[in-house]
Amino acid sequence: MAGEMSFTRVLIANRGEIARRIQRACRKLGLESVAVFSGADRDAPFVVEADHAICIGGAAPADSYLNIPAILEAARAAGAGAVHPGYGFLSENADFAAAVKAAGLVFIGPEADAIARMGSKIEAKAAAEAAGVPVLPGYRGTDQSDARLQDEARALGCPFLVKASAGGGGRGMRLVTDLDDAAEAIASARSEAKGAFGDATVFLERYAPRARHIEVQVLGDNHGRVLHLGDRDCSLQRNHQKLIEEAPAADLPEALRTDMRAAAVRLAQAIGYRSAGTVEYLYDPASGDYYFLEMNTRLQVEHPVTEAITGIDLVEWQLRIARGEALTLAQSDIRFDGHAIEIRIAAENPAENFRPETGRITLWAPPAGARLDSGVKAGSVVSHHYDSMLAKLIVHAPDRAGAIRQAVAALDTFAVGGVGLNLTYQRALLTHPDFQAFRHHTSGLPEMLPGGWNEPDDQGTALAAIALHLNLSPANDSPWQSLGGWRLTGPAGRQGMASYWHGSSDEPLRVGGGKSQLTVMLLEGQSVTVEAPELNAGRLSGRANGVPFSRVAHVERAEACWRVHVQTPAGMTTHQFQVLQDRHLRRSSHQAAGDDTLAAPMPGAVAEIRVAPGDRVAAGDTLVVLEAMKLLQSLPAPVTGVVAEIYCAPGDTVAGNAPLVKLYPENQT
C-alpha cells in the first residue's frame, strides 16, 4: 500500500499559518512543497518559503482557494503527487477529496465518504448513536415541513437550538427560548443555511446552557488502527468561534474522560476513519453527562496543544498515513505531559465590536520562548478577503496555572505595529477569575464581561499620547517650531499645551511640559506625569510615579490619523490620535462628502444593499451589509432621510472611506 501511495511533492491547498505549518512537516520528511496562492498573497511568507509556488486566481476565495479546477491544474503543472487541504476552505469538502483522488493524486485526509457522512450533522449524529456515543435529544428527521418541525419543537420544549445540517461556525443556528419564536427561528436558520452552505436542511436539538466544549483528537491509519491523543477544552468562545484552547481538558472526572476518549475511537473505527480527526462533545457539569456534537474530518486549528502535551507531530503523521504507513504507536505508548494553551491572535479591534483591522504590518516582534504558528511577518499586508486570524501563540508548562502565567507573559511582550490585534482582550480572558477557576462555558462571555469590552486603563492612553508627542517634537527644537498638535499659547501667557484627539472623541487630551517632565491631562480630569520621558529606537522610557519604566512604543502615520502601539500593564494596546491638521482635513472631507453620506468604515465587499433610491430611512437603520475578513457588518444610516443615490452594488469591493449611499436629510426633503 505504501508503494501505491508514494509521493515526493505535496501541494498545499491553503494559505497563511497552516500552509507554513504543513511546509515544515514536509521538510521534516524530505518532501517538496507546492504553494498555491491568490493575487493578494503573492508576497506572503508561505509563498516565499515554498519549494514551488503557483498563482491560481484573484483575491476572492471563490477565484482561488475555493477554485477546485484551478487547484488541480496547479497540482498537475507542479508535478505534485498529493494534496493537503489544511483547515478551512476545502478541507471538509467531500467533492474536493473525490476530485483529488479522481485526478490520480493522494488526498491527505480521510476518504470522501467519511467527510460527507460527518459533514451532515444529521448523518453524523446517526452514526454516533449507532456507535454507542450519546447524543442530545432532538429531531433529525427527513420531514422538513414547517408543521413537522414546529410539532417537534413543541415536543422537545425550550430551550432548544435550530441548527443547519451542513453548518458550522454558528451560521444557520438559532436559539429558541420561547415557543412563540420557533417559526421565525426555523425560517431564518433555513435561509441562512441555504445562503451559506447551499443546503436548507435543519434539525432541532436540546440546548445545554452552561456546557463545556470538549474534544478528543483521533488518529487512524489505512490498516484499521485508531488511536486517541487525549482531549482538549475549547469552551471559551465568542459567537461559536473558539478563542482560547487548552489540553488536556481540566477538571473532568477521570471516568468520564476515559469514556469520552473510548467513544471517539469507537466512532472513528465505525466509519473507517484515517488521518487526523476530532470528535467534539458538549459536557454538562451540572448533570455529569456528555453528548456528541460533531466530528471534524480535518486537522484542527488547535492541534498544537495536543502536539505539545504528547510530543507527537500530527501533520507528520498525516503525511505518513497518506503514504500508506501504519501507525507505529500503541495506545499505551502515548503519554500526556503537562498543560498547553493556545491563543488565537486576530487582526481585530475588540473595543469597537471586533471591527476587522486591515493594512500593512510595520512591526512584528513576537515573544521569545513560546511557539508561534504565524502566517505573517513585518511587511505583510492584512487583507479583508480572508479570516482575521494571523497567528496562534502556544505555551506549555507543567500545570495549567503555569501555562496561564506563561501565556500572559508572552502576550505582554508581543509587539506589533501597522494593524491592531486582539492581544489585550485575550489577556483579559486569560486573567479573568472565571477562566482561572474553570467557571467559564461556551456561552459565558456575557457573564465574564457583562459590560462588553473596552481597552483597559487610562495609563496606556497617556503613555501612547506621550509617545506620539515625543515623536512629533524633534529633539532640541523649540516646541513652538514643531508641528503636530501644538497650540501657540505662549504669547498669551499660558504654558504651551499640545492637543491630541483620541479615538472618536471630540474632546482632546492635552500634553504639556518639556524634556524633564510631561503631563497628560485626560478627559476625566485625571492626569499622568512622566519624568525624563524619552522615545528612542522604538521604546518609550521614563519614570511614572517615581518608578522607572521602558516599554515598546511604535508610532506610525495611518490614514488621516496617527497610530500608536504601546506596551502597558494590560498588554500591547493600539491607539489612534488626530492632531489639529487631521481635524481640519476631517472637517474639509466631511464638508465635501457631507454628513448625509454613508461611507465604508474599512475595505470590504458589499454583501447586501437593503434600500433602494426613494426609500425613507431612520438614522441607525441598516443600509448596507459589508463583509470583511469573513465577518458581516451592518452599516447604519447616518441621518434620517430619503435615499438619494447608491454608489455600490452587491459583490463590489470597496476601499475604506468609499461613499456607499447618499441621503437627503429629512429637514431637506
Side-chain angles (χ1 to χ4, degrees), residues 307-548:
E307 294 181 328
I309 65 169
T310 63
I312 295 172
D313 187 324
L314 283 167
V315 183
E316 176 189 350
W317 269 109
Q318 281 191 300
L319 294 166
R320 292 174 65 178
I321 289 167
R323 292 197 304 198
E325 296 182 34
L327 287 165
T328 57
L329 302 166
Q331 190 65 64
S332 58
D333 294 329
I334 300 172
R335 296 286 184 265
F336 305 104
D337 174 34
H339 199 91
I341 291 178
E342 175 180 286
I343 302 105
R344 299 192 183 196
I345 307 300
E348 59 190 19
N349 186 341
E352 295 187 20
N353 197 30
F354 298 86
R355 176 176 57 81
E357 292 268 334
T358 58
R360 185 177 296 276
I361 296 175
T362 55
L363 172 67
W364 186 259
R371 173 176 170 178
L372 187 79
D373 285 9
S374 168
V376 297
K377 62 180 181 180
S380 293
V381 174
V382 180
S383 165
H384 70 274
H385 293 288
Y386 311 117
D387 189 274
S388 63
M389 189 183 79
L390 304 184
K392 305 177 308 195
L393 180 67
I394 303 102
V395 297
H396 183 215
D399 56 31
R400 185 173 188 264
I404 292 174
R405 287 194 298 271
Q406 283 193 24
V408 171
L411 288 178
D412 284 348
T413 56
F414 200 134
V416 66
V419 297
L421 301 182
N422 61 339
L423 300 175
T424 52
Y425 180 75
Q426 294 285 54
R427 187 189 192 279
L429 296 180
L430 284 167
T431 57
H432 196 283
D434 284 359
F435 180 77
Q436 299 201 345
F438 236 94
R439 291 191 296 265
H440 63 289
H441 51 89
T442 54
S443 54
L445 275 185
E447 297 175 15
M448 295 173 66
L449 303 170
W453 170 252
N454 291 299
E455 282 285 1
D457 88 346
D458 291 331
Q459 187 184 44
T461 303
L463 292 179
I466 288 175
L468 175 61
H469 184 80
L470 292 172
N471 183 75
L472 295 176
S473 304
N476 302 318
D477 281 354
S478 163
W480 317 120
Q481 297 173 350
S482 62
L483 299 176
W486 287 98
R487 291 175 180 267
L488 301 181
T489 54
R494 300 194 299 273
Q495 181 183 13
M497 300 286 286
S499 296
Y500 303 107
W501 286 261
H502 182 245
S504 58
S505 175
D506 285 327
E507 294 295 321
L509 309 178
R510 300 192 187 278
V511 181
K515 291 183 180 179
S516 62
Q517 178 177 292
L518 287 174
T519 297
V520 181
M521 303 300 298
L522 298 166
L523 299 182
E524 297 78 10
Q526 299 173 333
S527 65
V528 174
T529 297
V530 172
E531 299 172 335
E534 184 177 355
L535 182 67
N536 185 34
R539 296 194 72 88
L540 176 68
S541 60
R543 294 190 303 275
N545 299 320
V547 179

Side-chain angles (χ1 to χ4, degrees), residues 46-88:
F46 80 93
V47 177
V48 175
E49 295 165 6
D51 296 304
H52 311 274
I54 298 177
C55 183
I56 55 171
D63 298 332
S64 49
Y65 301 108
L66 296 175
N67 188 336
I68 294 176
I71 292 171
L72 294 180
E73 173 57 26
R76 185 201 63 76
V83 175
H84 196 308
Y87 49 68

